[in-house]
Amino acid sequence: MSRPLLIAQNLNSSDPGVHAALSGGDASWLRSLARRIAGTGVDLIDCNAGTFAPEEARVLDWMVGQIAPMAGVPLSIDSADPGVLAAVGAA
């Protein structure tokens, strides 16, 4: 039996620190958090910007663009809005 996937949900705009970093365009803070998360041995890092509707797709795409090149683990794109998933997935 294989072990369950470990998915970190720390990069979520409902977290005050993440929200502030996304609002201020603080890519360095987000990358630092992503490095710390990846260093714990997780399989995926979940990225969510749901509190930024109606700009969720733009913010989520920016966040993923900042984190993906350096995360070292795959990212999970998380949204309740299928249109956001399609927009970010197509970028």
Side-chain angles (χ1 to χ4, degrees), residues 7-90:
I7 303 172
Q9 294 188 324
N10 307 69
L11 284 170
N12 189 309
S13 65
S14 65
D15 175 275
V18 173
H19 189 88
L22 290 170
S23 293
D26 192 347
S28 177
W29 190 93
L30 293 168
R31 287 191 293 264
S32 176
L33 178 58
R35 276 189 210 95
R36 287 193 313 268
I37 294 167
T40 66
V42 300
D43 297 304
L44 297 167
I45 298 175
D46 183 85
C47 297
N48 181 296
T51 62
F52 284 92
E55 295 295 319
E56 180 183 3
R58 179 188 61 77
V59 174
L60 187 55
D61 186 57
W62 180 82
M63 176 172 37
V64 168
Q66 299 304 310
I67 296 167
M70 51 66 54
V73 297
L75 303 181
S76 169
I77 310 305
D78 179 9
S79 176
D81 182 339
V84 169
L85 295 174
V88 175

